[in-house]
Every structure is written in structure tokens, then in C-alpha cells.
Amino acid sequence: MRFRVLGPVSLSPRTPSAAKPRALLATLLVQAGEVVPVHSLIDELWGTEPPRTATTTLQVYVSQLRKVLAEAGGSAHSGELLTRAPGYLLAVPERDFDLPCFERLRAEGRAAHQEGDFDRASALLHEALALWTGPALSGIPHGVRLESAAIRLDELRMEVLEQRIVADLRLGRHQELAGELLALANEHPLRETLHGHLMVALYRTGRGSDALRVYGRLRHSLVEELGVEPSPGLSRLHERVLRREPSLDWQPPRTTRRANGDSPEGAGGAAGSPGRPGAARRAAGPADGPRPLPGPPPALPAAPPCFVGRDEELAYAERALRGGVGRPAVRVLAVSGPAGVGKTALALRLAHRTADLFPDGGLLIGLRGPQGRPLSAAQAGAALLRRLTDDVPGVPLTDPEELTDRLRRALHGRRMLLILDDAASEQQIRPLLQAVTEGSVILTGRRRAAALDGAEHLRLDAVRPEEAVELLLAAGGERMAQDPVAVAEIARLCGCFPLALRVAAAALTARPHTTPAALAGRLRDERTRLGVLREGDLDLRSSLLTGYQEAGPALRRAFRLLSLAPAPDFTGWTVAALLGTGAAEAEETAEELVRAQLLEARTDGRSVRYGFHSLLRVLATELREAEPDAARTRREVVERLGRAYGSLARYADQRLAPGRDWRARPDAGHPGPDAAAIVGASPLGWFREEATGLVETVRQTHAAGLWPLVWDLAGSAAGYFHARAAWEEWEETHRLALDAARRARNTEAEAAVQYALGDLAWQRRQADRALRHHTAAQHAFELVRDRTGVARCRIGAADVLLGQGLLEHAARRYGRALALSSAEGDLRGEVAALKGLALVNLRRGRVDVARRQLEQCGRAAERLGDRRWTEYVRRTTARLAPDPAHRLSPVGHAVEVGPGMWLIGTAKAA
């Protein structure tokens, strides 16, 4: 091994002699293959008081490390230190680095142990432990990261050591283990698991009295030093040793793989005849019953610390398990939700709250292998059987009925609670569930196990904001409580996901020199947020990636592309546009993403909209941007989305304000049936729901340089902005559209945008600015010979002049615009011009003339099919009724100059 961290940190052929470069090497090695930010390296090397020259000194250390690496070739095959924003990345070949070799052997050993191949498991775990040459990361100064890593690695070593001891106990190596376990028990005087293994080894070598003394010494230490009694499992083992139960005697494991053609049963045993398979097992219990496992019986892990909130969910789940009057207790409670939402934590909390229901205890069985891959039904069943009995087949079971039968016999007479954790499918767990007849099962998994008959379902989402704050305060200690504003922001940036909140609290705890406000600042940048939410073996990104990696290629592509959705939630047509598929296929894809907990479905009872949890959206964006052709893909998707939004917005605009956009394409008024179904009977309602996405799509198309789409989208939404007085959105979209038109040197588009900006300025009572925009727009329309555009600009300028009380100037412009609009067949222009002339004459006191012009205006509005203008004309005409009984009350000095638009306090003509 050229690179070593499982002991003194070293690099072959030469290790840097100075402490700081060695600490830098170690920090990069424990995160090999990942970018380590410069600020993290500085924190690790100098702590809370780095020198002013820290960055420069760090660069010197990096240069020194590169020289050492170069002595061995300096290529990617021998180790290479690369500069990668915002820090450095150490690329190390796995075969030359002890840590990944250890993790690989550990995973293979665990897998062999789960399969019952104890010979291979023992060999692999022995090989993994042989890589260690001392305490992890020793011989260097430790900062926060290295200290955490050292603790984690030493704990992993103990885990591997204990699993190797279990394998050796299964293989009958008690004599060899006794001495090793005596030394380990002396080294770890309070570690109950090691003492339990030592008691079993001593008992099986004829030293039962020594086994009892081991228990007595451990109990004395626990009571004196911690004030606690040994665990129930160890106490039961003590009782079994006192009673000299035959079940403690060793028997050859039936799961040992055959070697040289010999059967496992022929390997000999402590009791029974070698030629009689299972004779010793039958001697220990009923002829057909399961044989209890030796050693401490398995039990549920402890309830998770810092568990807060979920009161309603826990109460619901507890009622389901306990049952009540007229409602029997459920046999299967299925808890589903996205990765990191706290399903396992809730299951354990619930199990401890209902422990009185299950006198025979409980078990938690993980349904995934070392690399996160789902176990098969046979593997899961074998894992459960090994926790219950020695009656485990030597080869994997492929017959579900046989598997269920073995499990049913093993569970017979036991009222237990089983937690089947992280299930992948109903097929994986069905044989296990069918075997449970006297206890209950809590099933956790990302997907909702909808095909399970009789199961009670509980879905978990992110915790409530107040619960998220409470969790941060509980896990983060006093420093969290010092800045409640920052804590609330951290909770929001973590999406109120329990795992993200726990990692954030751990990150603060690991850095005593930082503050909650500083942590919140690091979390604000979406590009690095998932990197910040990693501490020790808590890694939010890895947790979120699990569901993504299990999805097929098409679903993974959809997950990435939907991150370009322009609003927090979106409908099926948006999915179709982003993915470039038909509506039916898009809906099926979205629903599959929902089932995989990669997308959320939100409904108000009438329609369904989809959306990401904020952290999943960050992950999807990160994955999309990491693709080789990310820029090209982003442009193509945004273009599809822009065209879809444009088509629908034009359709809605035509129905909201008929004739408003005289420049709309000829087919815009005759869209396909999809547009009619999507927009429905309420174009204003459609705009209201889609306005956020529409504005964001304008931004996206502008960023992508899709200039025609920018002004097309902005122009299609102008009628809605006008109707709703959405001035900020109107301003932003049309400023982008004006920039796009100028970049494309499109005079006609620039004219239309200038006209709309003039209308906006008039609504804001910015008369001078409105006149400038209308004048510029009229000049541009004249250049492109758009006579309707010229008429509209004259009407806009006349509206401004009317508001200023310049009636003569306004009347001339209205009159010219009316003539031009009539000549061009522009009904909306006629309506607006006639309305303006009527208001001018009303101000002049010519009520009869104003009434006739309003009547003409009303007939034109009816021909146009615009109900809003028709109603406006009716209301205005009613105010001019000759009979006071039918005349509407005036509103002070206010004049309604358009549908829902009032001009208040205008000056009168001189």
C-alpha cells in the first residue's frame, strides 16, 4: 500500500516529515476522489485562528505534496493532486490505498456473512483487519475533520472485528478466540458485546465458571462507573450459562458452504452423530421446532436520540398497532417517504413506545446489502432466519413457499415486532410477511407498498418548520439557541428534512469556531449546499442518490430535466414540454417519479400539480449540470418549454382580451384541443396559476439567448399583467424582451415592447415616461409599416394626454387612431379610440355626444367578443342615464377609463 491512513499516516516511497503537510495529506486522503474546499483545509490545519498567510502557506504544502507524488510518477495511476474549484482533489488508485481496500473487504465479508458463508466471511474480515497498523490517522495533529474521521474509522474496525469474532464462533474456533477475547475485554472493559462473545467462548471450552466471573466483573464496572445494569440480552445469557442450557453448545452451522464435496453436517460437532444431519439441533429442542441462537438474543437498536416532533404520526401509528374497540390491531404498518425523512427513526421510536405489546422482543432487519442494493426475498429471509434460529439452509432458498414455511416455524409461538427496513418492493417482502402470524411488522421504504393486502399506510413528509427548529436546537446544542433567526433559515434551507437537519447540527458541532449564521451563509448557495450537508458518515447527497440510482435510465433523465421546471410546482403539460414527450407518456413518467419518491404530487381536489422537494431539486440540478452536454441539453429543453408556454399563453390571451395582440400568428386563435383543455374556461385562472412559471421561462429563454421566444412570451402575458396590475412582473419581462429585440435587431419586436412599456408607465401614472415609450414605438411601427401598431400608439399617447387634462391634443390623437383602426379592421383599436373620444366629450360636458360614442363603442366590443369591455361600456353608459333613478352614483373625482382602471383626481381642461 502506497497510501495508508489505517494507522500512522504514510505515503510511499517518502512521507512528508513536517506535521502540517502530513495533516494535509491525511485530510485529502479521507476524502479521496472528492473536492475539498480551501476553507475546509485551512480550518483543519489551523483551526479557529489561521494566520493571514494561510492560503499562501497551504499552496506551499500542496506544492510539496505534488513533488512527493511526482517521485512515483505523478500520474492518475499512481496518485495525482488536482486543483478543482473551490479547492483540491486527490485522485488515488484504490489498489494502492488501504482505506478503500478495507471498505471493500468489509463489504464482501458482511455479504458472505449474510449468505451464511462463515469460512469466507472470516477470511475476508481477517484480511481487512490485517491492513491496520495502529490507531487510525495517528502520528499527525487532528483538526475537527480528522478527529471525526479517526473516531469513525476506529469504530468501523471494531465493527469488523466483532463480526469476524461472530463468524469464528459460528465455525467453532472457541479455543483460539478465548485468549483474544480476554485481551479485548480488558482493553474495552465496558463493551458488552465483546464480553458476551467471551462468555460464550469460555462456556464452550468448559470454563463456565470463568464465563460467570466475566459477567460479574462487567456488571460491577457498569454499576460503579455508569450506574446502569447490563443489557437484558446479556442478563439472559448469564441466566442461560447458570442453567447450562444445551442450546449454548456449539453445533456446526448448516450455512457453512461445502468444501471438497463434504456436506456441512459431516464436519462433526459437539453433540450428536456426525452422520445424522441436525441430530444435535433436535437434541436441544422440539423435533421440528427452531433452535435458539447462542449468545445474547438479538434486540432492537436503541431509540434514536434527539427525536422531536411527529406527534400526530406516532399517535396514528400507535393506535394502529394497539387497535381499539371495533378496530383490531394491524399486522403490517407500512411507513413510506423520501430518503432522509426519518422513516427508520420513527419506526424505532414507535417500537419502543409499544414494547409492552411484544413480550418476545423485536428485530430490525435491513433489506439492503453493503452497497445499498436490495436483497432478494431469499437473502432477506435468510438474514431474518439467522437472527432467529440456526435452522438456515446451506444454499439460498428459491422457493417462496419453503422460505415462508421456515420463517413461520421459526416465529411460531413468538409475539415479536419486526422492523423490515428500507424495502424495495412488495415481491421482496411478501414471503416474510406471510410468515408473521402472532406479531406485527413495521415496514419502511421509499415507495408506498400499495399492493400489500391489509397493510395500514403512513406517509412521512418533511417535518413542520417549528419541529425542524426544535430538532436543530436539540442536536446542535447551546450555540444553535444563540441565533434563532439563523436557525430558522437553516431549517428552511434544509427543507425541514430530518437527515439534513441532523447533518447541519453535526457540521456546527464539528466546528466550534463557526456560528449558525455562518453555516446558514454556506447553505444559501444551491451549488454547494449538498456538499456542506456532509459530516462524518452522515452524507445527505448519498442518501438522496439512492432512489435516483435505482431508477432506470429514462426515469433518471426525466428527474434531471424536470429540474428546469420554471415554478415550484407544475402540471402534466409542463412535464411533456420538458421531456419532449406526449401528454400520456409524460403523466406516466411523473407518476413513476412520484412512486420512487423523487417527485411530489400535490392536489387541491380538482387538479394535480407536481413539484420537487427543495433538496431533491438541488440534487437534480447538480446531476443535470454534471452531464457532458449540459449546456446544449439545457438550451433544447428551455426552447421546448418556451414554445409550449408561448402557445398556451397566446391562446389564453386571445380569450382574456380578444384582439389585444394584433400581431398574433394567424393560427394562434385556432389551437389544438390540448390548449383548450389545458387553459379551460377561465383564461384568467390559468394565467394566475402559471404566472410564476411564465415569468421564470422568460428569464430562462433570455439566459439561453432564445431572443424571439423572449419577446413572444412577454408579449403574450402583457394582457394578464394589465388586467391584474402586476407591474413588477410586467416591467421585468418587458425589459428582458426589449433587450432581446435590440440584440436581435428586430424593429417590429422592439416597437411592440415599447408600446407595452408605455401602457405600463401610464398605469403607474408616469406620464412623461409613457409618452416617450409610445412615441418610440410609433416611430418603429411606421418604419415597419404596421398601421395598426401606429394607431395603438396614438391611442396610448392620447390616454396619457387625457389624464393630464389636455383634451384637444387627446381628441386629435383619438380621432386619427379611430380612422386608422377602422381602415385596418382593428376592432379593439376602434373600441379604445371610441372610449377615449367619449371620455373627452364627457369632460367637455357634451354628454349626448359621449353617450352616442359609448353606444358605438359597446357595439364594437360585442362584435369583438370581449365581455370585460362590454360590461365596462354598460357601466359607463349607465352613469350618463338621463333619468336620475337609473344613474349610478359618481365616485368623487374618479373616472373609470377602462375595465377596472380608475383615474383619480385628474386636472380639468382649461
Side-chain angles (χ1 to χ4, degrees), residues 73-207:
S75 67
H77 299 290
S78 59
E80 189 174 11
L81 182 51
L82 307 170
T83 301
R84 291 283 186 272
Y88 299 96
L89 180 148
L90 182 59
V92 178
E94 183 175 312
R95 66 180 183 278
D96 292 339
F97 187 12
D98 61 358
L99 179 54
C101 290
F102 169 75
E103 290 176 334
R104 175 179 54 79
L105 290 167
R106 168 178 168 262
E108 291 176 0
R110 288 182 64 187
H113 195 283
Q114 286 184 339
E115 293 171 1
D117 190 349
F118 300 117
D119 278 317
R120 184 165 181 267
S122 177
L124 288 167
L125 297 174
H126 267 288
E127 187 179 350
L129 292 167
L131 294 170
W132 285 72
T133 59
L137 298 165
S138 54
I140 57 170
H142 285 184
V144 174
R145 284 177 178 269
L146 288 180
E147 184 64 26
S148 299
I151 293 170
R152 182 179 69 86
L153 291 174
D154 285 333
E155 188 59 32
L156 279 180
R157 178 179 177 275
M158 287 303 300
E159 174 197 308
V160 171
L161 177 61
E162 289 180 351
Q163 190 158 35
R164 194 224 79 207
I165 289 169
V166 171
D168 286 345
L169 282 172
R170 290 277 194 165
L171 294 167
R173 298 169 180 170
H174 314 108
Q175 197 69 48
E176 302 95 311
L177 284 171
E180 179 186 6
L181 282 166
L182 281 167
L184 287 169
N186 185 61
E187 185 181 348
H188 304 278
L190 301 178
R191 199 168 183 107
E192 294 188 47
T193 311
L194 288 175
H195 285 74
H197 294 324
L198 174 58
M199 290 171 66
V200 173
L202 290 172
Y203 179 84
R204 289 178 177 175
T205 54
R207 301 168 63 182

Side-chain angles (χ1 to χ4, degrees), residues 794 797-817 836-837 839-846 907-910:
R794 286 176 174 165
D799 286 338
V800 176
L801 296 171
L802 175 64
Q804 293 177 319
L806 302 174
L807 302 184
E808 292 299 329
H809 295 286
R812 282 197 297 272
R813 282 175 172 77
Y814 283 133
R816 292 173 183 172
L837 287 170
L839 293 177
V840 168
N841 283 307
L842 187 60
R843 288 294 185 88
R844 289 171 168 170
R846 301 172 182 174
K908 295 184 179 180

Side-chain angles (χ1 to χ4, degrees), residues 712-731:
D712 181 39
L713 287 166
S716 299
Y720 169 74
F721 296 148
H722 187 289
R724 301 293 296 178
W727 294 345
E728 288 76 16
E729 293 89 343
W730 193 346
E731 179 82 35

Side-chain angles (χ1 to χ4, degrees), residues 67 69 77 156 189 236 242 253 338 406 425 443 445 566 601 689 725 905 909:
K67 288 179 181 178
L69 291 169
H77 299 290
L156 279 180
R236 285 194 292 271
L242 282 171
R406 285 180 179 270
S425 67
L443 173 70
E689 287 186 348

Side-chain angles (χ1 to χ4, degrees), residues 224-374:
E224 288 295 318
E225 296 187 31
L226 302 179
V228 298
E229 292 285 343
S231 67
L234 201 65
S235 298
R236 285 194 292 271
L237 175 61
H238 175 242
E239 294 170 3
R240 294 169 69 191
V241 172
L242 282 171
R243 292 196 299 267
R244 296 184 177 275
E245 286 190 8
S247 62
L248 279 176
D249 295 336
W250 177 75
Q251 302 299 324
R254 298 185 62 183
T255 50
T256 304
R257 294 192 184 272
R258 295 179 172 88
N260 300 323
D262 293 330
S263 70
E265 293 82 4
S273 303
R276 294 170 56 205
R281 176 179 63 82
R282 286 194 293 273
D288 296 319
R291 179 183 184 277
L293 284 173
L300 286 168
C306 301
F307 187 97
V308 299
R310 302 287 195 201
D311 295 331
E312 294 178 8
E313 293 91 338
L314 279 169
Y316 171 84
E318 187 170 355
R319 285 196 302 271
L321 288 182
R322 292 187 182 277
V325 179
R327 179 180 178 181
V330 300
R331 189 170 63 89
V332 179
L333 175 68
V335 183
S336 62
V341 81
K343 300 181 293 294
T344 307
L346 180 132
L348 285 170
R349 184 77 164 190
L350 176 63
H352 286 277
R353 281 176 55 155
T354 58
D356 59 296
L357 298 175
F358 307 102
D360 296 307
L363 286 174
L364 185 147
I365 303 294
L367 298 179
R368 293 180 184 270
Q371 306 301 321
R373 295 189 182 90

